[in-house]
Amino acid sequence: GGLPQWSARTAPKTHEVHLLPCEGGSVSVSSSSVVHGRGAEIQSTATEGKVLLDVVANGVSLGARENVILPNVCGDVVVSAVFGEPGEKRCLIMTEPTERGVITPCAQSVEFAAEQEIVLQPQNGCFVDAVFLNGRYLGRAGRLRLQKVESHYLVTARFGRLGDLDGNESIDAADALRALQHSVQLVTLDSTPA
């Protein structure tokens, strides 16, 4: 006896491959949606007079090959390429697509050891909550100045909504309570007798 066991199949987890614009050529990917753990093929083509200097994924070099495999995709990936003159050395500063704000420029090829400024612009009613450079937390600045760029970088940011103090995507009574507790510096006391 017993009840039959049913196996519920769930759709496999997928990740997005975001292509950023690039100067001096074009980049394409075999699929913009990749199943967790699988790979995707990236193809890069230089325009006349330019050469492919590097293919970059999330700020990491994949090499200067026209066809390269992005292996073992385990999260969303930002991909672009660096094109330039033969023998030239350039670095790529890329940004991850964000909600509630814009990071500019979204992909910028810069000369080796040059300086670059990144601007983080939140939408109305939002603020810059956190800025990351290659995964390392930098703070909450609205501008980021990279001096002497000597490698590829991925700039990411988290934009919060004004009034959403608990980060649950809605402004509700819990946010009002947090604001009140913060403003009066409320301390919870133990009510048991000593």
Side-chain angles (χ1 to χ4, degrees):
L3 296 172
Q5 293 184 358
W6 299 96
S7 64
R9 288 195 165 206
T10 58
K13 185 174 182 176
T14 60
H15 305 289
E16 296 300 313
V17 178
H18 303 279
L19 292 177
L20 296 181
C22 50
E23 305 163 20
S26 63
V27 179
S28 63
V29 64
S30 58
S31 177
S32 61
S33 183
V34 180
V35 173
H36 183 81
R38 297 225 176 125
E41 183 179 358
I42 301 168
Q43 293 185 319
S44 305
T45 307
T47 57
E48 190 174 328
K50 301 288 183 180
V51 295
L52 174 64
L53 301 174
D54 205 353
V55 177
V56 184
N58 283 355
V60 177
S61 170
L62 298 178
R65 297 181 310 234
E66 289 181 355
N67 294 315
V68 64
I69 299 294
L70 181 62
N72 194 24
V73 175
C74 294
D76 288 353
V77 182
V78 179
V79 174
S80 194
V82 184
F83 298 96
E85 304 296 325
E88 187 176 22
K89 231 180 152 179
R90 299 187 72 77
C91 298
L92 184 65
I93 300 169
M94 43 194 341
T95 64
E96 189 173 79
T98 61
E99 294 179 3
R100 299 190 211 107
V102 177
I103 307 172
T104 54
C106 71
Q108 181 72 41
S109 170
V110 297
E111 291 180 22
F112 186 80
E115 181 178 294
Q116 179 67 40
E117 185 172 280
I118 309 293
V119 177
L120 297 100
Q121 182 64 47
Q123 294 173 350
N124 285 339
C126 298
F127 64 97
V128 178
D129 187 32
V131 180
F132 301 89
L133 185 63
N134 286 354
R136 193 181 86 225
Y137 176 74
L138 296 180
R140 295 181 167 189
R143 290 186 182 275
L144 176 63
R145 183 177 303 260
L146 302 174
Q147 298 177 358
K148 204 171 181 184
V149 176
E150 295 180 340
S151 64
H152 304 303
Y153 290 109
L154 175 65
V155 179
T156 58
R158 185 175 60 229
F159 294 93
R161 283 184 30 194
L162 294 173
D164 183 16
L165 302 178
D166 56 7
N168 68 352
E169 300 298 322
S170 69
I171 300 171
D172 53 21
D175 296 309
L177 180 59
R178 287 188 95 153
L180 176 64
Q181 288 172 335
H182 178 74
S183 67
V184 296
Q185 299 177 350
L186 183 64
V187 177
T188 304
L189 300 175
D190 186 2
S191 63
T192 57

